[in-house]
Amino acid sequence: MFLGEYRHAIDPKGRLIIPARFREGLGERFVLTKGLDGCLFAYPPQEWAALEEKMRSLPLTRSDARAFVRFFFSGACECEFDRQGRILIPANLREYAGITRDVVVIGVSSRVEIWAAERWEEYSSRAAAQLDEIAEKIVELELGI
């Protein structure tokens, strides 16, 4: 399980240090892709395989399902760590996520999210302001929060 929030900076070559706790959970090789809300998602192999299986079950006859699958898979790449625990984030993914320098790496249960620091601050401020409303909506999911 991935938990916590860490702040780092990306170097001029597009390399980012991933926290040691997250490196252990992601494994030697993992999948990095475009995420929702303007961030990047990183999945360990077993989580990616489970997600891929779910995506395969989506009906090809629905244009929204096709669009989502294209979005998710076209931005995906396999990553591995260098000796210093860094990954190289491809230019297209850095551009998508608006990553230029300061980065926030967060654990979200089964995945790691990588955010441009400014986007994370904006997103978390909006979410915090709506937390009560969001909590009321997810009560319907019977999560027992």
Side-chain angles (χ1 to χ4, degrees):
M1 179 184 323
F2 299 105
L3 302 169
E5 176 180 316
Y6 302 86
R7 294 181 179 270
H8 291 282
I10 197 163
D11 74 12
K13 293 182 180 179
R15 296 175 300 194
L16 174 67
I17 294 173
I18 299 296
R21 287 186 172 175
F22 291 171
R23 290 195 302 263
E24 292 170 16
L26 288 169
E28 287 183 28
R29 299 177 76 96
F30 63 94
V31 176
L32 184 66
T33 191
K34 295 174 184 174
L36 303 176
D37 303 310
C39 70
L40 302 178
F41 288 172
Y43 291 97
Q46 67 276 13
E47 290 293 334
W48 180 256
L51 185 61
E52 183 180 5
E53 188 64 33
K54 290 176 186 175
M55 296 272 197
R56 285 184 185 181
S57 70
L58 293 174
L60 286 175
T61 55
R62 293 194 50 173
S63 63
D64 56 350
R66 290 191 310 271
F68 186 75
V69 170
R70 283 185 192 120
F71 167 82
F72 214 65
F73 284 94
S74 67
C77 67
E78 202 171 68
C79 289
E80 58 187 311
F81 299 102
D82 67 11
R83 290 186 200 151
Q84 284 122 6
R86 299 175 300 188
I87 60 167
L88 175 64
I89 301 177
N92 66 315
L93 293 180
R94 290 194 313 265
E95 184 179 325
Y96 167 77
I99 295 172
T100 56
R101 173 128 176 89
D102 295 323
V103 176
V104 179
V105 182
I106 65 170
V108 187
S109 184
S110 62
R111 72 178 178 272
V112 172
E113 293 183 357
I114 301 171
W115 290 78
E118 315 82 52
R119 283 192 185 177
W120 173 246
E121 296 304 328
E122 291 170 13
Y123 176 83
S124 58
S125 292
R126 281 193 320 268
Q130 300 171 344
L131 194 56
D132 289 341
E133 183 181 324
I134 292 168
E136 288 176 12
K137 289 180 181 179
I138 64 171
V139 164
E140 298 170 6
L141 299 176
E142 297 178 14
L143 296 176
I145 296 177

